[in-house]
Amino acid sequence: MSMKPPPKKVNTEGAPKKTRFSQAERSTKRDLSYFEHMDSSQLPPFMHEYYTDVVDVEGDGHCRFRDVSVLLGKSEEAYQMVRLDLTIELNHNRARYVNLFGGKERFDFIKNALTPHAIGPVYDDKWMTMPDIGFLLAQRYKHAVVVLGGNGG
């Protein structure tokens, strides 16, 4: 018996692996920090010199509320007071905001976002949404709110 090579190349790597999760779901990539955002191409380099007093707040779903708290001269932990202030603003001017937001359903969604159901990290339905909550912030604290970059969440 003589040995001959096979008529075509034989795949010796084994069967393809089947996974239950997509590459994105298996990823261990984390969100960029503020400084990494500054170094990345998300914000133009010419703007970097205008950023001062950078505060890297805890990313727990309350982070934009924490940002507002710090910008108002309070501690990060005063974010719950920001939520309360905005809820009071919303309730005191209910008819105006129902009209502004286009109906009771959107009004209720925003009001629900301002009232977390538990202490600790929150799900995305409790995040600060722009421009809706940005308008509330401007009304309550008399400061313009501008969001640069981000996903609007």
Side-chain angles (χ1 to χ4, degrees), residues 6-12:
K8 64 179 187 172
K9 183 169 171 46
V10 176
N11 184 359
T12 59

Side-chain angles (χ1 to χ4, degrees), residues 34-54 148:
Y34 173 82
F35 299 101
E36 289 168 321
H37 278 289
M38 291 296 291
D39 290 337
S40 74
S41 63
Q42 290 189 6
L43 296 174
F46 76 88
M47 294 178 75
H48 295 191
E49 68 183 276
Y50 300 104
Y51 289 89
T52 59
D53 300 325
V54 175
L148 299 174

